[in-house]
Amino acid sequence: MRPWAGSWRWITLVLLAWGTLLFYIGGHLVRDSEHPERSSRELSKILAKLERLKQQNEDLRRMAESLRYHVDVLLLLIPEGQAEAGSLAAGRLRSLEDQLTRAKQKIHSFQRLTGDGPGPTQEELRRRVENGVKELWYFVRSEVKKLANVEASERQKYADTLLQDMGHQERSIMTDLYYLSQADGVGEWRVKEAKDLSDLVQNRITYLQNPPDCSKARKLVCNINKGCGYGCQLHHVVYCFMIAYGTQRTLILESHNWRYATGGWETVFLPVSNTCTDRTGATTGHWSGEAHDKDVQVVELPIVDSLHPRPPYLPLAIPEDLAQRLHRLHGDPSVWWVSQFVKYLVRPQTWLEKEIQQTTAKLGFKHPIIGVHVRRTDKVGTEAAFHPIEEYMLHVEEQFQHLARRVHIDKKRVYLATDDPSLLQEAKTKYPEYEFISDNSISWSAGLHNRYTENSLRGVILDIHFLSQTDFLVCTFSSQVCRVAYEIMQTLHPDASSFFYSLDDIYYFGGQNAHNQIAVYPHQPRNSEDIPLEPGDVIGVAGNHWDGYSKGVNRKLGRTGLYPSYKVKEKIETVKYPTYPEADKLLTAQKK
């Protein structure tokens, strides 16, 4: 926000205006005190208006997600072969026209608000978005019709120019949508709501983890030494923590002789409890289900791969009591919920916090900056494909063009995290116009022969920290390190769900329950690869092809194939987690 000039004068005016508003509301309620029914009706009207304005946030988010795929879909409009150009282009054009029409309908729906309605800034931006969508469609329709008359020798040049022009228009629309999401106080509401929700969850976790009498507390024991790397082990502890939270058991983290630090978790991060770290109890048993274990004081939890029976608390489910607020606030509530446990777990010890501060100054880390994580070594050829640096930088440049619409870009900075020590010099040679910020000693320590050492642990923690601090993340979600950085990023912004581009997978949590979507628009297959959709169909998600299409299985029909990504929405599962009312009372008392 822009700083105010003449601060005392403005503060006086604001206080005067606020006092006048309170006087008006208070006077109105006093006048109506003898007529409680009329007062109640007036309050109901005010609350209804507020609820309608809140609903706009969800509608705008859905519209932004739909528009995000425009350029990817439009890439498919450029035919590779002359023979099938007509039918392919026509089909894609019909799909795009349908998508843009629905976006326009959503915009018009805001005009039906009664009462005071949205603020003037919001209305101005809404009209700009509406005009931008309309003009983009006019442009695409006109240019694609010209394709038939373009000589084969000129087609590549024509296609490049077309994509460049469409990129300009797409960035303009997305910029307007960003400002629309911040207009008329909505941005401030989002910041406050994100803080309030996070404070609520962190307070509940702290309450659970610090029982007044450890000898009587119900406990869940989790051993950190799962046979995998740091990111995988952290996610293992998160999985344990979610089940502990769901079953109202204090998490006991066993980390002695941790393969990364023999002194244990507490030598690097703050203890998960200040009052209860002893696993002893009257009765002990291995996990056999929440109901079956109700009389067992201490339960040992296996790795998620061996978990049976599976409790309902696994990702991607979210708490039922927070679901409505999370749907309004965040583009991916499941990731937000995971991030809260990561946030609690990775609170640094004093020495680590000092190390982070010193490294920040040493590297010259500052904004604007985009994070790139390139995982090579053991991942390539087993869990992930090889991706050259050029693939990453394509999306880095695209995001800098987006950022340039909103902030001044003094330098195009890239934080490069990789386990390939040769990549930094390659990137500097190929892209001299960028400033690459990286610590090559971390790359060496991430190698297979050095990975499970305290120095390697320091390196991966620093890489994840700096990646999470960037303005946008380009990586492969097949990597646990990338997903951890993305999760921490959610704790630093009200909604950072769209601050990434993955070259392979969509976000997932290892051992999660099924990831489903719900069809909101019908789809008739145009070829043998497509699957049909009807509104309400549940789709099991296999992945996003990042070209406007996703792959999944229509669970009603049992058919697997492709479908337009914009024709579905996420099916967020909710679970009756405990609500910890005593913890909430303590938080309320602290705020008074």
Side-chain angles (χ1 to χ4, degrees), residues 2 25 101 207 253 276 306 344 366 392 401 467 516 543 578:
R2 295 168 57 188
I25 295 174
T101 299
Y207 177 84
L253 180 59
C276 191
S306 307
Y344 186 91
K366 60 181 179 178
Y392 296 86
Q401 291 185 34
L467 288 170
N516 292 320

Side-chain angles (χ1 to χ4, degrees), residues 62-63 66 95 98-106 518-524 531-537 539 554 563-569:
R62 287 280 308 282
M63 184 172 67
S66 176
S95 174
D98 179 55
Q99 186 175 356
L100 296 182
T101 299
R102 293 181 190 280
K104 184 176 179 181
Q105 290 172 349
K106 289 181 182 179
I518 301 175
V520 292
Y521 302 126
H523 178 66
Q524 292 302 317
I531 57 172
L533 302 178
E534 290 296 335
D537 286 355
I539 313 301
N554 186 319
Y563 56 93
S565 302
Y566 80 94
K567 291 189 174 183
V568 298
K569 67 177 182 179

Side-chain angles (χ1 to χ4, degrees), residues 55-91:
Q55 184 60 39
Q56 292 178 53
N57 297 322
E58 175 63 17
D59 294 334
L60 290 171
R61 183 185 65 78
R62 287 280 308 282
M63 184 172 67
E65 289 176 350
S66 176
L67 289 172
R68 186 181 177 189
Y69 291 105
H70 282 357
V71 170
D72 289 334
V73 174
L74 292 171
L75 284 169
L76 300 178
L77 294 174
I78 309 303
E80 294 180 358
Q82 185 89 22
E84 56 181 354
S87 60
L88 178 61

Side-chain angles (χ1 to χ4, degrees), residues 459-498:
V460 70
I461 290 173
L462 288 174
D463 266 348
I464 288 173
H465 169 78
F466 289 119
L467 288 170
S468 71
Q469 294 283 327
T470 60
D471 299 299
F472 193 86
L473 189 56
V474 181
C475 60
T476 51
F477 269 167
S478 59
S479 167
Q480 304 252 17
V481 167
C482 176
R483 299 202 304 276
V484 172
Y486 177 65
E487 290 156 1
I488 296 175
M489 187 180 275
Q490 307 312 306
T491 70
L492 305 176
H493 306 270
D495 181 5
S497 58
S498 63

